[in-house]
Amino acid sequence: MASPMVATPVQLRTSTGRLSFSSSPSAAARRRFAAVRASAEAMATEKLGIRVERNPPESRLSELGVRQWPKWGCEKSKFPWTYSAKETCYLLQGKVKVYPEGHGEEFVEIAAGDLVVFPKGMSCTWDVAEAVDKHYNFE
C-alpha cells in the first residue's frame, strides 16, 4: 500500500521578497515522492538463494527486455526442477512456493508481478498453487 502524500502549508519567498503560502507540493516534489515509492516497491530481497523483486516498474522490465523473452506456463502442479543455467523470470500470473533442496520445509513464495532470479545449479521443488504464465531468460 502506498503512503499518502500529505500537503502541508509551506512558506515561500518570491523574487520580490514577499511571502506566499502553498498547500500543494511542487511538481518536483511529487516526482521525487513517486521515484522513492517506485524504488521501495521494487526493492529486491534474497532468501534461500532466490532473488525476488516485487512489482518492478515498467522501466526496469523494458531495460531488461522482459516482454521480448519467451513465455512458459503450467497448471496447478508439483514437480522437481534443477537450473542448469541462471534464470531470470517475470511472472505474469500465478502463485508458486519454491522449496530449494537442502532447506527442509523452508520456501520462497513468488507470484504475479515478481521478477525472480534463480541461480545456476539450484535444485528445488515447485509447488504451483495457481496456474503460472511467465516470461523467462536463461544466461
Side-chain angles (χ1 to χ4, degrees), residues 9-49:
V10 177
Q11 230 183 26
L12 301 172
R13 190 168 300 273
T14 65
S15 60
T16 62
R18 294 185 180 184
L19 290 179
S20 66
F21 293 88
S22 172
S23 61
S24 61
S26 69
R30 286 192 300 274
R31 283 192 300 275
R32 282 192 304 275
F33 176 79
V36 168
R37 186 178 68 209
S39 173
E41 287 175 357
M43 193 175 303
T45 58
E46 188 168 316
K47 179 180 174 188
L48 307 177

PDB file of all heavy atoms in Angstrom, residues 9-49:
ATOM      1  N   PRO A   9       1.133  23.380   4.616  1.00  0.00           N
ATOM      2  CA  PRO A   9       1.420  24.737   4.159  1.00  0.00           C
ATOM      3  C   PRO A   9       2.917  25.016   4.220  1.00  0.00           C
ATOM      4  O   PRO A   9       3.589  24.673   5.182  1.00  0.00           O
ATOM      5  CB  PRO A   9       0.652  25.617   5.155  1.00  0.00           C
ATOM      6  CG  PRO A   9      -0.392  24.729   5.711  1.00  0.00           C
ATOM      7  CD  PRO A   9       0.190  23.345   5.704  1.00  0.00           C
ATOM      8  N   VAL A  10       3.430  25.626   3.171  1.00  0.00           N
ATOM      9  CA  VAL A  10       4.855  25.936   3.078  1.00  0.00           C
ATOM     10  C   VAL A  10       4.997  27.427   2.830  1.00  0.00           C
ATOM     11  O   VAL A  10       4.278  27.997   2.021  1.00  0.00           O
ATOM     12  CB  VAL A  10       5.498  25.153   1.913  1.00  0.00           C
ATOM     13  CG1 VAL A  10       6.954  25.530   1.758  1.00  0.00           C
ATOM     14  CG2 VAL A  10       5.341  23.673   2.117  1.00  0.00           C
ATOM     15  N   GLN A  11       5.930  28.054   3.521  1.00  0.00           N
ATOM     16  CA  GLN A  11       6.212  29.471   3.326  1.00  0.00           C
ATOM     17  C   GLN A  11       7.240  29.625   2.218  1.00  0.00           C
ATOM     18  O   GLN A  11       8.282  28.987   2.249  1.00  0.00           O
ATOM     19  CB  GLN A  11       6.796  30.037   4.637  1.00  0.00           C
ATOM     20  CG  GLN A  11       6.149  31.263   5.102  1.00  0.00           C
ATOM     21  CD  GLN A  11       6.835  31.782   6.350  1.00  0.00           C
ATOM     22  OE1 GLN A  11       8.002  31.539   6.595  1.00  0.00           O
ATOM     23  NE2 GLN A  11       6.075  32.512   7.127  1.00  0.00           N
ATOM     24  N   LEU A  12       6.929  30.408   1.229  1.00  0.00           N
ATOM     25  CA  LEU A  12       7.848  30.630   0.114  1.00  0.00           C
ATOM     26  C   LEU A  12       8.152  32.116   0.007  1.00  0.00           C
ATOM     27  O   LEU A  12       7.284  32.954   0.174  1.00  0.00           O
ATOM     28  CB  LEU A  12       7.215  30.163  -1.202  1.00  0.00           C
ATOM     29  CG  LEU A  12       6.807  28.700  -1.277  1.00  0.00           C
ATOM     30  CD1 LEU A  12       6.031  28.460  -2.551  1.00  0.00           C
ATOM     31  CD2 LEU A  12       8.031  27.817  -1.238  1.00  0.00           C
ATOM     32  N   ARG A  13       9.380  32.453  -0.301  1.00  0.00           N
ATOM     33  CA  ARG A  13       9.751  33.854  -0.516  1.00  0.00           C
ATOM     34  C   ARG A  13       9.907  34.048  -2.024  1.00  0.00           C
ATOM     35  O   ARG A  13      10.675  33.354  -2.670  1.00  0.00           O
ATOM     36  CB  ARG A  13      11.048  34.182   0.223  1.00  0.00           C
ATOM     37  CG  ARG A  13      11.342  35.672   0.222  1.00  0.00           C
ATOM     38  CD  ARG A  13      12.438  36.029   1.185  1.00  0.00           C
ATOM     39  NE  ARG A  13      12.185  35.694   2.562  1.00  0.00           N
ATOM     40  CZ  ARG A  13      11.541  36.473   3.435  1.00  0.00           C
ATOM     41  NH1 ARG A  13      11.039  37.625   3.039  1.00  0.00           N
ATOM     42  NH2 ARG A  13      11.390  36.105   4.674  1.00  0.00           N
ATOM     43  N   THR A  14       9.149  34.973  -2.573  1.00  0.00           N
ATOM     44  CA  THR A  14       9.202  35.218  -4.012  1.00  0.00           C
ATOM     45  C   THR A  14      10.406  36.080  -4.342  1.00  0.00           C
ATOM     46  O   THR A  14      11.085  36.597  -3.448  1.00  0.00           O
ATOM     47  CB  THR A  14       7.908  35.929  -4.490  1.00  0.00           C
ATOM     48  OG1 THR A  14       7.872  37.218  -3.890  1.00  0.00           O
ATOM     49  CG2 THR A  14       6.676  35.128  -4.135  1.00  0.00           C
ATOM     50  N   SER A  15      10.649  36.266  -5.645  1.00  0.00           N
ATOM     51  CA  SER A  15      11.793  37.082  -6.075  1.00  0.00           C
ATOM     52  C   SER A  15      11.659  38.540  -5.637  1.00  0.00           C
ATOM     53  O   SER A  15      12.646  39.256  -5.548  1.00  0.00           O
ATOM     54  CB  SER A  15      11.960  37.005  -7.586  1.00  0.00           C
ATOM     55  OG  SER A  15      10.780  37.481  -8.216  1.00  0.00           O
ATOM     56  N   THR A  16      10.435  38.971  -5.311  1.00  0.00           N
ATOM     57  CA  THR A  16      10.233  40.350  -4.846  1.00  0.00           C
ATOM     58  C   THR A  16      10.429  40.459  -3.341  1.00  0.00           C
ATOM     59  O   THR A  16      10.343  41.546  -2.782  1.00  0.00           O
ATOM     60  CB  THR A  16       8.817  40.844  -5.201  1.00  0.00           C
ATOM     61  OG1 THR A  16       7.868  40.009  -4.529  1.00  0.00           O
ATOM     62  CG2 THR A  16       8.587  40.828  -6.692  1.00  0.00           C
ATOM     63  N   GLY A  17      10.679  39.326  -2.682  1.00  0.00           N
ATOM     64  CA  GLY A  17      10.882  39.332  -1.238  1.00  0.00           C
ATOM     65  C   GLY A  17       9.601  39.136  -0.447  1.00  0.00           C
ATOM     66  O   GLY A  17       9.622  39.056   0.761  1.00  0.00           O
ATOM     67  N   ARG A  18       8.467  39.021  -1.139  1.00  0.00           N
ATOM     68  CA  ARG A  18       7.192  38.815  -0.441  1.00  0.00           C
ATOM     69  C   ARG A  18       7.037  37.348  -0.059  1.00  0.00           C
ATOM     70  O   ARG A  18       7.555  36.458  -0.730  1.00  0.00           O
ATOM     71  CB  ARG A  18       6.030  39.215  -1.341  1.00  0.00           C
ATOM     72  CG  ARG A  18       6.024  40.675  -1.631  1.00  0.00           C
ATOM     73  CD  ARG A  18       4.811  41.014  -2.408  1.00  0.00           C
ATOM     74  NE  ARG A  18       4.824  42.448  -2.672  1.00  0.00           N
ATOM     75  CZ  ARG A  18       3.858  43.070  -3.276  1.00  0.00           C
ATOM     76  NH1 ARG A  18       2.806  42.408  -3.693  1.00  0.00           N
ATOM     77  NH2 ARG A  18       3.935  44.360  -3.480  1.00  0.00           N
ATOM     78  N   LEU A  19       6.284  37.115   1.008  1.00  0.00           N
ATOM     79  CA  LEU A  19       5.993  35.749   1.437  1.00  0.00           C
ATOM     80  C   LEU A  19       4.702  35.295   0.780  1.00  0.00           C
ATOM     81  O   LEU A  19       3.754  36.060   0.644  1.00  0.00           O
ATOM     82  CB  LEU A  19       5.834  35.682   2.952  1.00  0.00           C
ATOM     83  CG  LEU A  19       7.090  35.886   3.777  1.00  0.00           C
ATOM     84  CD1 LEU A  19       6.743  35.810   5.263  1.00  0.00           C
ATOM     85  CD2 LEU A  19       8.116  34.828   3.457  1.00  0.00           C
ATOM     86  N   SER A  20       4.688  34.046   0.364  1.00  0.00           N
ATOM     87  CA  SER A  20       3.442  33.456  -0.120  1.00  0.00           C
ATOM     88  C   SER A  20       3.345  32.069   0.490  1.00  0.00           C
ATOM     89  O   SER A  20       4.323  31.515   0.977  1.00  0.00           O
ATOM     90  CB  SER A  20       3.433  33.386  -1.649  1.00  0.00           C
ATOM     91  OG  SER A  20       4.423  32.493  -2.096  1.00  0.00           O
ATOM     92  N   PHE A  21       2.147  31.526   0.498  1.00  0.00           N
ATOM     93  CA  PHE A  21       1.922  30.225   1.112  1.00  0.00           C
ATOM     94  C   PHE A  21       1.372  29.264   0.071  1.00  0.00           C
ATOM     95  O   PHE A  21       0.579  29.640  -0.775  1.00  0.00           O
ATOM     96  CB  PHE A  21       0.942  30.341   2.288  1.00  0.00           C
ATOM     97  CG  PHE A  21       1.506  31.123   3.433  1.00  0.00           C
ATOM     98  CD1 PHE A  21       1.373  32.501   3.495  1.00  0.00           C
ATOM     99  CD2 PHE A  21       2.206  30.476   4.430  1.00  0.00           C
ATOM    100  CE1 PHE A  21       1.915  33.219   4.543  1.00  0.00           C
ATOM    101  CE2 PHE A  21       2.749  31.195   5.479  1.00  0.00           C
ATOM    102  CZ  PHE A  21       2.602  32.570   5.533  1.00  0.00           C
ATOM    103  N   SER A  22       1.830  28.020   0.149  1.00  0.00           N
ATOM    104  CA  SER A  22       1.372  26.994  -0.773  1.00  0.00           C
ATOM    105  C   SER A  22       0.993  25.766   0.035  1.00  0.00           C
ATOM    106  O   SER A  22       1.701  25.392   0.957  1.00  0.00           O
ATOM    107  CB  SER A  22       2.485  26.644  -1.757  1.00  0.00           C
ATOM    108  OG  SER A  22       2.118  25.532  -2.519  1.00  0.00           O
ATOM    109  N   SER A  23      -0.134  25.160  -0.304  1.00  0.00           N
ATOM    110  CA  SER A  23      -0.530  23.948   0.415  1.00  0.00           C
ATOM    111  C   SER A  23      -0.399  22.708  -0.454  1.00  0.00           C
ATOM    112  O   SER A  23      -0.709  21.617  -0.023  1.00  0.00           O
ATOM    113  CB  SER A  23      -1.972  24.074   0.921  1.00  0.00           C
ATOM    114  OG  SER A  23      -2.832  24.234  -0.179  1.00  0.00           O
ATOM    115  N   SER A  24       0.059  22.867  -1.697  1.00  0.00           N
ATOM    116  CA  SER A  24       0.233  21.686  -2.543  1.00  0.00           C
ATOM    117  C   SER A  24       1.705  21.525  -2.881  1.00  0.00           C
ATOM    118  O   SER A  24       2.417  22.497  -3.087  1.00  0.00           O
ATOM    119  CB  SER A  24      -0.600  21.813  -3.821  1.00  0.00           C
ATOM    120  OG  SER A  24      -0.177  22.926  -4.557  1.00  0.00           O
ATOM    121  N   PRO A  25       2.169  20.270  -2.956  1.00  0.00           N
ATOM    122  CA  PRO A  25       3.578  20.034  -3.253  1.00  0.00           C
ATOM    123  C   PRO A  25       3.899  20.408  -4.696  1.00  0.00           C
ATOM    124  O   PRO A  25       3.053  20.353  -5.571  1.00  0.00           O
ATOM    125  CB  PRO A  25       3.743  18.529  -3.024  1.00  0.00           C
ATOM    126  CG  PRO A  25       2.383  17.968  -3.126  1.00  0.00           C
ATOM    127  CD  PRO A  25       1.421  19.052  -2.737  1.00  0.00           C
ATOM    128  N   SER A  26       5.132  20.790  -4.933  1.00  0.00           N
ATOM    129  CA  SER A  26       5.570  21.148  -6.279  1.00  0.00           C
ATOM    130  C   SER A  26       5.632  19.897  -7.159  1.00  0.00           C
ATOM    131  O   SER A  26       5.637  18.767  -6.666  1.00  0.00           O
ATOM    132  CB  SER A  26       6.955  21.783  -6.215  1.00  0.00           C
ATOM    133  OG  SER A  26       7.912  20.806  -5.846  1.00  0.00           O
ATOM    134  N   ALA A  27       5.694  20.118  -8.454  1.00  0.00           N
ATOM    135  CA  ALA A  27       5.813  19.001  -9.390  1.00  0.00           C
ATOM    136  C   ALA A  27       7.084  18.209  -9.109  1.00  0.00           C
ATOM    137  O   ALA A  27       7.086  16.974  -9.163  1.00  0.00           O
ATOM    138  CB  ALA A  27       5.796  19.513 -10.821  1.00  0.00           C
ATOM    139  N   ALA A  28       8.170  18.910  -8.795  1.00  0.00           N
ATOM    140  CA  ALA A  28       9.436  18.230  -8.494  1.00  0.00           C
ATOM    141  C   ALA A  28       9.293  17.353  -7.251  1.00  0.00           C
ATOM    142  O   ALA A  28       9.793  16.219  -7.215  1.00  0.00           O
ATOM    143  CB  ALA A  28      10.552  19.246  -8.296  1.00  0.00           C
ATOM    144  N   ALA A  29       8.601  17.861  -6.236  1.00  0.00           N
ATOM    145  CA  ALA A  29       8.395  17.079  -5.010  1.00  0.00           C
ATOM    146  C   ALA A  29       7.548  15.843  -5.297  1.00  0.00           C
ATOM    147  O   ALA A  29       7.819  14.758  -4.780  1.00  0.00           O
ATOM    148  CB  ALA A  29       7.737  17.933  -3.933  1.00  0.00           C
ATOM    149  N   ARG A  30       6.544  16.003  -6.153  1.00  0.00           N
ATOM    150  CA  ARG A  30       5.700  14.849  -6.498  1.00  0.00           C
ATOM    151  C   ARG A  30       6.516  13.800  -7.252  1.00  0.00           C
ATOM    152  O   ARG A  30       6.362  12.610  -7.035  1.00  0.00           O
ATOM    153  CB  ARG A  30       4.497  15.301  -7.327  1.00  0.00           C
ATOM    154  CG  ARG A  30       3.438  16.024  -6.500  1.00  0.00           C
ATOM    155  CD  ARG A  30       2.132  16.200  -7.275  1.00  0.00           C
ATOM    156  NE  ARG A  30       2.286  16.966  -8.500  1.00  0.00           N
ATOM    157  CZ  ARG A  30       2.247  18.292  -8.586  1.00  0.00           C
ATOM    158  NH1 ARG A  30       2.062  18.999  -7.495  1.00  0.00           N
ATOM    159  NH2 ARG A  30       2.386  18.892  -9.743  1.00  0.00           N
ATOM    160  N   ARG A  31       7.415  14.250  -8.167  1.00  0.00           N
ATOM    161  CA  ARG A  31       8.261  13.303  -8.911  1.00  0.00           C
ATOM    162  C   ARG A  31       9.204  12.561  -7.976  1.00  0.00           C
ATOM    163  O   ARG A  31       9.408  11.362  -8.110  1.00  0.00           O
ATOM    164  CB  ARG A  31       9.048  14.027 -10.002  1.00  0.00           C
ATOM    165  CG  ARG A  31       8.226  14.380 -11.230  1.00  0.00           C
ATOM    166  CD  ARG A  31       9.107  14.821 -12.395  1.00  0.00           C
ATOM    167  NE  ARG A  31       9.911  15.993 -12.100  1.00  0.00           N
ATOM    168  CZ  ARG A  31       9.500  17.245 -12.212  1.00  0.00           C
ATOM    169  NH1 ARG A  31       8.274  17.510 -12.596  1.00  0.00           N
ATOM    170  NH2 ARG A  31      10.310  18.250 -11.934  1.00  0.00           N
ATOM    171  N   ARG A  32       9.818  13.301  -7.022  1.00  0.00           N
ATOM    172  CA  ARG A  32      10.728  12.659  -6.062  1.00  0.00           C
ATOM    173  C   ARG A  32       9.973  11.623  -5.232  1.00  0.00           C
ATOM    174  O   ARG A  32      10.461  10.524  -5.006  1.00  0.00           O
ATOM    175  CB  ARG A  32      11.380  13.700  -5.155  1.00  0.00           C
ATOM    176  CG  ARG A  32      12.507  14.452  -5.822  1.00  0.00           C
ATOM    177  CD  ARG A  32      13.330  15.261  -4.820  1.00  0.00           C
ATOM    178  NE  ARG A  32      12.554  16.197  -4.035  1.00  0.00           N
ATOM    179  CZ  ARG A  32      12.230  17.436  -4.415  1.00  0.00           C
ATOM    180  NH1 ARG A  32      12.624  17.885  -5.585  1.00  0.00           N
ATOM    181  NH2 ARG A  32      11.532  18.222  -3.621  1.00  0.00           N
ATOM    182  N   PHE A  33       8.764  11.983  -4.790  1.00  0.00           N
ATOM    183  CA  PHE A  33       7.953  11.059  -3.999  1.00  0.00           C
ATOM    184  C   PHE A  33       7.637   9.800  -4.808  1.00  0.00           C
ATOM    185  O   PHE A  33       7.769   8.685  -4.321  1.00  0.00           O
ATOM    186  CB  PHE A  33       6.648  11.742  -3.543  1.00  0.00           C
ATOM    187  CG  PHE A  33       5.726  10.830  -2.810  1.00  0.00           C
ATOM    188  CD1 PHE A  33       5.953  10.523  -1.480  1.00  0.00           C
ATOM    189  CD2 PHE A  33       4.631  10.262  -3.437  1.00  0.00           C
ATOM    190  CE1 PHE A  33       5.107   9.675  -0.790  1.00  0.00           C
ATOM    191  CE2 PHE A  33       3.782   9.411  -2.758  1.00  0.00           C
ATOM    192  CZ  PHE A  33       4.023   9.118  -1.433  1.00  0.00           C
ATOM    193  N   ALA A  34       7.234   9.978  -6.079  1.00  0.00           N
ATOM    194  CA  ALA A  34       6.910   8.835  -6.938  1.00  0.00           C
ATOM    195  C   ALA A  34       8.127   7.950  -7.161  1.00  0.00           C
ATOM    196  O   ALA A  34       8.028   6.722  -7.154  1.00  0.00           O
ATOM    197  CB  ALA A  34       6.353   9.324  -8.277  1.00  0.00           C
ATOM    198  N   ALA A  35       9.303   8.554  -7.339  1.00  0.00           N
ATOM    199  CA  ALA A  35      10.530   7.782  -7.548  1.00  0.00           C
ATOM    200  C   ALA A  35      10.893   6.979  -6.309  1.00  0.00           C
ATOM    201  O   ALA A  35      11.277   5.810  -6.403  1.00  0.00           O
ATOM    202  CB  ALA A  35      11.685   8.708  -7.929  1.00  0.00           C
ATOM    203  N   VAL A  36      10.756   7.581  -5.135  1.00  0.00           N
ATOM    204  CA  VAL A  36      11.050   6.878  -3.883  1.00  0.00           C
ATOM    205  C   VAL A  36      10.076   5.732  -3.695  1.00  0.00           C
ATOM    206  O   VAL A  36      10.457   4.628  -3.339  1.00  0.00           O
ATOM    207  CB  VAL A  36      11.014   7.854  -2.683  1.00  0.00           C
ATOM    208  CG1 VAL A  36      11.028   7.101  -1.362  1.00  0.00           C
ATOM    209  CG2 VAL A  36      12.180   8.819  -2.757  1.00  0.00           C
ATOM    210  N   ARG A  37       8.795   5.984  -3.960  1.00  0.00           N
ATOM    211  CA  ARG A  37       7.784   4.938  -3.812  1.00  0.00           C
ATOM    212  C   ARG A  37       8.067   3.792  -4.775  1.00  0.00           C
ATOM    213  O   ARG A  37       8.039   2.625  -4.394  1.00  0.00           O
ATOM    214  CB  ARG A  37       6.389   5.509  -4.046  1.00  0.00           C
ATOM    215  CG  ARG A  37       5.307   4.464  -3.755  1.00  0.00           C
ATOM    216  CD  ARG A  37       3.920   5.020  -3.925  1.00  0.00           C
ATOM    217  NE  ARG A  37       3.722   5.278  -5.341  1.00  0.00           N
ATOM    218  CZ  ARG A  37       2.931   6.215  -5.822  1.00  0.00           C
ATOM    219  NH1 ARG A  37       2.282   7.015  -5.016  1.00  0.00           N
ATOM    220  NH2 ARG A  37       2.782   6.379  -7.105  1.00  0.00           N
ATOM    221  N   ALA A  38       8.362   4.092  -6.048  1.00  0.00           N
ATOM    222  CA  ALA A  38       8.654   3.049  -7.033  1.00  0.00           C
ATOM    223  C   ALA A  38       9.876   2.253  -6.626  1.00  0.00           C
ATOM    224  O   ALA A  38       9.914   1.030  -6.749  1.00  0.00           O
ATOM    225  CB  ALA A  38       8.857   3.662  -8.411  1.00  0.00           C
ATOM    226  N   SER A  39      10.891   2.941  -6.107  1.00  0.00           N
ATOM    227  CA  SER A  39      12.104   2.280  -5.665  1.00  0.00           C
ATOM    228  C   SER A  39      11.813   1.325  -4.508  1.00  0.00           C
ATOM    229  O   SER A  39      12.307   0.198  -4.467  1.00  0.00           O
ATOM    230  CB  SER A  39      13.134   3.320  -5.244  1.00  0.00           C
ATOM    231  OG  SER A  39      14.246   2.701  -4.656  1.00  0.00           O
ATOM    232  N   ALA A  40      11.010   1.764  -3.561  1.00  0.00           N
ATOM    233  CA  ALA A  40      10.670   0.921  -2.406  1.00  0.00           C
ATOM    234  C   ALA A  40       9.854  -0.283  -2.844  1.00  0.00           C
ATOM    235  O   ALA A  40      10.060  -1.397  -2.360  1.00  0.00           O
ATOM    236  CB  ALA A  40       9.896   1.729  -1.370  1.00  0.00           C
ATOM    237  N   GLU A  41       8.915  -0.077  -3.797  1.00  0.00           N
ATOM    238  CA  GLU A  41       8.089  -1.189  -4.268  1.00  0.00           C
ATOM    239  C   GLU A  41       8.925  -2.216  -5.008  1.00  0.00           C
ATOM    240  O   GLU A  41       8.637  -3.396  -4.991  1.00  0.00           O
ATOM    241  CB  GLU A  41       6.977  -0.663  -5.175  1.00  0.00           C
ATOM    242  CG  GLU A  41       5.892   0.065  -4.413  1.00  0.00           C
ATOM    243  CD  GLU A  41       4.852   0.701  -5.315  1.00  0.00           C
ATOM    244  OE1 GLU A  41       5.002   0.630  -6.553  1.00  0.00           O
ATOM    245  OE2 GLU A  41       3.900   1.266  -4.778  1.00  0.00           O
ATOM    246  N   ALA A  42       9.962  -1.761  -5.686  1.00  0.00           N
ATOM    247  CA  ALA A  42      10.780  -2.659  -6.495  1.00  0.00           C
ATOM    248  C   ALA A  42      11.974  -3.214  -5.725  1.00  0.00           C
ATOM    249  O   ALA A  42      12.810  -3.879  -6.302  1.00  0.00           O
ATOM    250  CB  ALA A  42      11.268  -1.926  -7.735  1.00  0.00           C
ATOM    251  N   MET A  43      12.053  -2.949  -4.448  1.00  0.00           N
ATOM    252  CA  MET A  43      13.194  -3.396  -3.667  1.00  0.00           C
ATOM    253  C   MET A  43      13.298  -4.930  -3.721  1.00  0.00           C
ATOM    254  O   MET A  43      12.326  -5.632  -3.526  1.00  0.00           O
ATOM    255  CB  MET A  43      13.044  -2.936  -2.220  1.00  0.00           C
ATOM    256  CG  MET A  43      14.319  -3.080  -1.424  1.00  0.00           C
ATOM    257  SD  MET A  43      14.174  -2.398   0.235  1.00  0.00           S
ATOM    258  CE  MET A  43      13.717  -0.724  -0.107  1.00  0.00           C
ATOM    259  N   ALA A  44      14.470  -5.386  -4.021  1.00  0.00           N
ATOM    260  CA  ALA A  44      14.687  -6.829  -4.134  1.00  0.00           C
ATOM    261  C   ALA A  44      15.090  -7.422  -2.793  1.00  0.00           C
ATOM    262  O   ALA A  44      15.744  -6.771  -1.990  1.00  0.00           O
ATOM    263  CB  ALA A  44      15.776  -7.101  -5.168  1.00  0.00           C
ATOM    264  N   THR A  45      14.660  -8.659  -2.584  1.00  0.00           N
ATOM    265  CA  THR A  45      15.073  -9.409  -1.401  1.00  0.00           C
ATOM    266  C   THR A  45      15.655 -10.725  -1.883  1.00  0.00           C
ATOM    267  O   THR A  45      15.360 -11.187  -2.987  1.00  0.00           O
ATOM    268  CB  THR A  45      13.878  -9.693  -0.461  1.00  0.00           C
ATOM    269  OG1 THR A  45      12.878 -10.420  -1.183  1.00  0.00           O
ATOM    270  CG2 THR A  45      13.275  -8.404   0.069  1.00  0.00           C
ATOM    271  N   GLU A  46      16.501 -11.314  -1.057  1.00  0.00           N
ATOM    272  CA  GLU A  46      17.053 -12.620  -1.393  1.00  0.00           C
ATOM    273  C   GLU A  46      16.822 -13.554  -0.221  1.00  0.00           C
ATOM    274  O   GLU A  46      17.081 -13.195   0.925  1.00  0.00           O
ATOM    275  CB  GLU A  46      18.537 -12.531  -1.712  1.00  0.00           C
ATOM    276  CG  GLU A  46      19.065 -13.854  -2.248  1.00  0.00           C
ATOM    277  CD  GLU A  46      20.451 -13.743  -2.857  1.00  0.00           C
ATOM    278  OE1 GLU A  46      20.691 -12.789  -3.601  1.00  0.00           O
ATOM    279  OE2 GLU A  46      21.268 -14.631  -2.569  1.00  0.00           O
ATOM    280  N   LYS A  47      16.290 -14.729  -0.528  1.00  0.00           N
ATOM    281  CA  LYS A  47      16.025 -15.734   0.505  1.00  0.00           C
ATOM    282  C   LYS A  47      16.328 -17.098  -0.096  1.00  0.00           C
ATOM    283  O   LYS A  47      15.879 -17.408  -1.204  1.00  0.00           O
ATOM    284  CB  LYS A  47      14.555 -15.656   0.954  1.00  0.00           C
ATOM    285  CG  LYS A  47      14.188 -16.669   2.013  1.00  0.00           C
ATOM    286  CD  LYS A  47      12.723 -16.550   2.409  1.00  0.00           C
ATOM    287  CE  LYS A  47      12.328 -17.654   3.367  1.00  0.00           C
ATOM    288  NZ  LYS A  47      10.878 -17.658   3.615  1.00  0.00           N
ATOM    289  N   LEU A  48      17.097 -17.880   0.613  1.00  0.00           N
ATOM    290  CA  LEU A  48      17.446 -19.244   0.201  1.00  0.00           C
ATOM    291  C   LEU A  48      18.075 -19.274  -1.192  1.00  0.00           C
ATOM    292  O   LEU A  48      17.909 -20.227  -1.948  1.00  0.00           O
ATOM    293  CB  LEU A  48      16.212 -20.159   0.252  1.00  0.00           C
ATOM    294  CG  LEU A  48      15.429 -20.184   1.576  1.00  0.00           C
ATOM    295  CD1 LEU A  48      14.192 -21.061   1.456  1.00  0.00           C
ATOM    296  CD2 LEU A  48      16.318 -20.667   2.720  1.00  0.00           C
ATOM    297  N   GLY A  49      18.787 -18.191  -1.553  1.00  0.00           N
ATOM    298  CA  GLY A  49      19.470 -18.124  -2.836  1.00  0.00           C
ATOM    299  C   GLY A  49      18.614 -17.627  -3.991  1.00  0.00           C
ATOM    300  O   GLY A  49      19.097 -17.505  -5.110  1.00  0.00           O
TER     301      GLY A  49
END
